């Protein structure tokens, strides 16, 4: 298993300089994207084009603002400030809200689960999968909605990339200089699962973007402030500074890049460019998703122009989609010198317990109806102290209401068995159901308590900004001379 858990950087391509372009939210009425930024069929961008776009989008410099006398002209605009908060303090909510980037997120299941829950996706969890072995995957909560692979970026099966995104598939590109690939991989996963409750915000976003191209969806996602704010809730001030520093270096490198006569490379790689191939060899870790849709398994990589069809499976015949894609994913992991991390987006364990509770309650109600028909006074035959079935108040605490109960009907065989039982058998069945409900209730609160505690601990640990404390500590060491005295001990020979 990979020891490096850094993620979200995506490709370090020279096209990241185009991030200086303000992102506008695409709409169904606005289909014309800036031709200088819109990807072609190959989606490749040359260094020369990056320079031109950067020049057009760059903020005015002091030389630009100088008048004929060489003195800087007065401006009514305030001086740009990196952070409204003092440097000795952690990044505030205002810092994170006004920042237009996406911070890097480690491939920690608890972080990603928290992001999904905060966005509004119900009853999902992100778990770590150690291999594509069927026995290993069987230990994860079921069903598995998608697999997310973090790996050192390289081309993966792009010969199967379709020319146009199918109508039944939701897929969005990742914009340059956006460290959003972790969250985007999860969004590309959950928006392709109709059975999931994705929450009102994502429902509206999916409906708004349904007729857009993957590139336009990527633009819309980059401007989706609701999701960006949740993603950046994990950001520290150092995360923001490092991201801006990285983008600045890429812009500087693109500006210094030599002119490339051959505007386009004849390559199947839809993301790498001539000026970025060297940087891709450094530490370009990237998240991509593998998702089952309509009997096919798709690779959804935000850095590709279009989705890639990887495999097909017959769900009606009992074929598992994870089996259909197992060899392909295993091959990608094996080719990367174990520099990868595999995650699964699954049903949350509490969701399975809710479904079990719903089925038990519906079966108990059917038994009670049969008892009412057989003997109106049957409740007098129950023993004092017998465990009562779940009350509506308890069900509400578990998040179970009429809508959830309607989604767990009793099967026909059980209905027929209940219809043929006498009073004694019905009372015995009712007691067993009540005991089962109490068991579910106890397990539900245990599992939910563990999940909530893990998510809260992970969120607090990641969002806590230690940099100001470390900075002050180093300043104190410098003030009393300890830093200067010990620096030689840390210099390389």
């Amino acid at each position: 298993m990979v020891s490096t858990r850094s993620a979200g950087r995506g490709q370090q391509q020279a096209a990241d300089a185009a991030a200086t372009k303000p992102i506008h939210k695409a709409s169904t009425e606005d289909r014309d994207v800036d031709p200088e930024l819109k990807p072609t069929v190959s989606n490749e961008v040359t260094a020369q084009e990056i320079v031109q776009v950067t020049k057009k989008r760059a903020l005015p410099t002091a030389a630009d603002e100088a008048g004929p006398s060489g003195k800087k002209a007065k401006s009514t605009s305030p001086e740009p400030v990196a952070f409204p908060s003092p440097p000795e303090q952690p990044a505030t909510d205002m810092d994170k809200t006004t920042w237009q980037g996406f911070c890097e997120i480690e491939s920690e299941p608890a972080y990603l689960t928290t992001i999904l829950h905060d966005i509004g996706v119900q009853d999902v969890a992100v778990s770590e999968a150690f291999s594509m072995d069927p026995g290993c995957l069987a230990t994860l909560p079921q069903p598995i909605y998608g697999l997310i692979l973090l790996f050192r970026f390289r081309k993966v099966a792009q010969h199967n990339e379709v020319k146009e995104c199918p109508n039944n598939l939701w897929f969005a590109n990742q914009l340059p200089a956006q460290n959003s690939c972790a969250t985007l991989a999860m969004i590309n996963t959950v928006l392709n699962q109709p059975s999931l409750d994705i929450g009102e915000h994502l429902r509206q976003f999916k409906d708004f973007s349904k007729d857009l191209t993957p590139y336009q969806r990527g633009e819309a996602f980059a401007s989706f402030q609701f999701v960006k704010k949740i993603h950046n809730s994990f950001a520290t001030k150092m995360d923001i500074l490092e991201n801006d520093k990285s983008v600045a270096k890429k812009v500087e490198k693109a500006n210094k890049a030599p002119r490339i006569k051959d505007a386009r490379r004849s390559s199947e790689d839809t993301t790498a460019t001539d000026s970025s191939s060297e940087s891709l060899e450094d530490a370009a870790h990237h998240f991509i998703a593998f998702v089952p849709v309509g009997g096919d398994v798709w690779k959804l990589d935000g850095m590709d122009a279009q989705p890639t069809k990887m495999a097909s499976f017959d769900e009606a015949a009992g074929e598992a989609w994870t089996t259909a894609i197992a060899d392909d994913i295993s091959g990608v992991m094996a080719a990367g010198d174990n520099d990868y991390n595999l995650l699964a987006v699954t049903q949350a364990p509490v969701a399975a317990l809710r479904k079990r509770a719903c089925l038990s309650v519906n079966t108990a109600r059917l038994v009670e109806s049969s008892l009412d028909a057989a003997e109106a006074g049957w409740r007098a035959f129950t023993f004092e102290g017998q465990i009562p079935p779940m009350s509506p108040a308890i069900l509400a605490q578990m998040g179970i209401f009429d809508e959830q109960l309607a989604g767990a009907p009793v099967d026909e065989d059980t209905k027929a068995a209940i219809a043929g039982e006498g009073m004694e058998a019905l009372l015995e069945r009712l007691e067993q159901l009540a005991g089962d409900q109490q068991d579910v209730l106890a397990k539900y609160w245990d599992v939910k308590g563990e999940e909530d505690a893990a998510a809260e601990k992970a969120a607090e640990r990641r969002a806590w900004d230690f940099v100001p404390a470390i900075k002050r500590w180093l300043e104190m060491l410098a003030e009393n001379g300890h830093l200067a005295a010990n620096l030689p001990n840390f210099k390389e020979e």
Side-chain angles (χ1 to χ4, degrees):
M1 185 56 60
V2 63
S3 58
T4 302
R5 300 181 71 85
S6 63
R9 286 195 287 267
Q11 290 84 317
Q12 298 181 8
Q13 54 179 347
D16 289 358
T20 51
K21 173 183 180 292
I23 302 302
H24 70 275
K25 194 168 187 178
S27 65
T28 53
E29 292 78 24
D30 180 16
R31 292 287 188 265
D32 296 326
V33 183
D34 190 336
E36 293 178 308
L37 295 179
K38 184 176 180 180
T40 61
V41 174
S42 67
N43 204 30
E44 296 178 355
V45 186
T46 66
Q48 186 64 25
E49 289 171 328
I50 292 298
V51 173
Q52 297 301 322
V53 173
T54 303
K55 287 181 178 179
K56 290 183 178 182
R57 303 302 181 189
L59 295 174
T61 63
D64 297 331
E65 297 177 354
S69 62
K71 295 182 179 180
K72 185 178 179 179
K74 291 183 179 180
S75 173
T76 56
S77 302
E79 290 294 328
V81 180
F83 292 99
S85 60
E88 67 275 6
Q89 293 183 5
T92 64
D93 290 339
M94 180 61 70
D95 297 332
K96 300 175 185 180
T97 301
T98 55
W99 185 54
Q100 293 304 303
F102 281 83
C103 72
E104 294 182 9
I105 294 293
E106 294 81 4
S107 87
E108 171 59 50
Y111 301 161
L112 303 181
T113 299
T114 300
I115 289 175
L116 284 176
H117 290 175
D118 289 346
I119 290 174
V121 185
Q122 302 294 317
D123 292 337
V124 295
V126 179
S127 305
E128 192 162 15
F130 297 99
S131 77
M132 288 300 298
D133 179 76
C136 178
L137 295 177
T139 64
L140 299 175
Q142 302 294 322
I144 298 176
Y145 300 118
L147 293 168
I148 296 177
L149 179 65
L150 169 68
F151 70 122
R152 193 177 295 275
F153 175 78
R154 58 188 176 277
K155 294 182 291 185
V156 176
Q158 288 186 313
H159 58 281
N160 289 331
E161 184 176 328
V162 298
K163 294 183 178 180
E164 185 175 354
C165 184
N167 292 331
N168 66 332
L169 184 67
W170 195 96
F171 170 67
N173 292 152
Q174 177 185 342
L175 264 62
Q178 299 274 340
N179 290 327
S180 59
C181 56
T183 297
L184 183 58
M186 294 192 295
I187 298 298
N188 277 331
T189 298
V190 299
L191 290 192
N192 284 296
Q193 298 299 325
S195 63
L196 279 179
D197 182 358
I198 57 177
E200 188 60 29
H201 288 88
L202 282 187
R203 274 195 294 270
Q204 292 184 11
F205 179 73
K206 183 179 181 180
D207 183 65
F208 158 77
S209 60
K210 63 182 179 181
D211 296 324
L212 302 182
T213 65
Y215 181 79
Q216 291 170 329
R217 288 172 180 169
E219 281 198 314
F221 177 78
S223 301
F224 196 179
Q225 294 300 323
F226 172 74
V227 171
K228 182 183 290 186
K229 182 178 180 181
I230 292 172
H231 177 103
N232 286 336
S233 65
F234 289 96
T236 65
K237 188 170 289 187
M238 185 57 68
D239 291 330
I240 299 175
L241 287 171
E242 286 293 329
N243 180 269
D244 291 346
K245 179 181 176 181
S246 175
V247 172
K249 284 185 175 181
K250 291 169 185 175
V251 173
E252 182 181 2
K253 183 177 179 180
N255 285 328
K256 293 180 179 179
R259 182 179 181 85
I260 301 174
K261 294 182 180 180
D262 183 10
R264 299 285 177 188
R265 296 165 57 196
S266 57
S267 169
E268 294 179 347
D269 184 358
T270 63
T271 60
T273 65
D274 295 284
S275 58
S276 65
S277 58
E278 181 180 350
S279 62
L280 282 173
E281 296 176 358
D282 296 332
H285 288 85
H286 182 54
F287 285 96
I288 62 175
F290 297 90
V291 182
V293 179
D296 298 316
V297 184
W298 295 85
K299 183 197 71 167
L300 304 182
D301 182 349
M303 300 306 286
D304 290 343
Q306 299 291 342
T308 299
K309 184 177 178 180
M310 300 292 294
S312 298
F313 66 102
D314 188 353
E315 187 175 7
E319 295 181 8
W321 74 269
T322 52
T323 302
I325 196 66
D327 290 342
D328 295 286
I329 297 180
S330 297
V332 175
M333 294 189 295
D337 299 325
N338 291 325
D339 191 5
Y340 67 87
N341 196 27
L342 183 63
L343 303 170
V345 181
T346 71
Q347 178 178 259
V350 292
L353 291 171
R354 286 197 192 100
K355 290 181 179 179
R356 179 180 162 190
C358 288
L359 181 59
S360 181
V361 168
N362 286 336
T363 306
R365 290 179 177 179
L366 188 61
V367 172
E368 290 176 347
S369 297
S370 294
L371 286 169
D372 287 335
E375 177 60 56
W378 65 269
R379 287 177 175 80
F381 295 95
T382 59
F383 296 100
E384 185 177 352
Q386 185 174 354
I387 302 174
M390 287 183 176
S391 66
I394 293 177
L395 293 174
Q397 291 177 0
M398 297 176 64
I400 297 175
F401 302 95
D402 290 341
E403 182 180 356
Q404 286 73 33
L405 290 170
V410 181
D411 63 86
E412 295 301 324
D413 290 340
T414 302
K415 288 181 179 180
I418 292 174
E421 291 178 345
M423 181 174 292
E424 184 177 352
L426 290 172
L427 289 173
E428 183 178 352
R429 182 188 286 269
L430 185 62
E431 185 175 2
Q432 292 174 350
L433 288 168
D436 178 65
Q437 291 171 23
Q438 292 301 314
D439 180 63
V440 170
L441 185 61
K443 290 180 178 178
Y444 174 85
W445 290 117
D446 285 344
V447 172
K448 191 173 189 310
E450 292 176 1
E451 288 183 353
D452 292 345
E456 183 178 356
K457 183 178 180 180
E460 289 180 355
R461 183 172 63 248
R462 180 58 176 83
W464 186 263
D465 195 346
F466 295 95
V467 173
I470 296 173
K471 176 177 177 292
R472 180 55 187 149
W473 177 61
L474 291 173
E475 289 173 347
M476 294 172 65
L477 290 176
E479 290 169 359
N480 59 31
H482 285 291
L483 190 61
N486 288 279
L487 276 179
N489 298 330
F490 298 95
K491 292 182 178 179
E492 295 183 2
E493 294 295 335

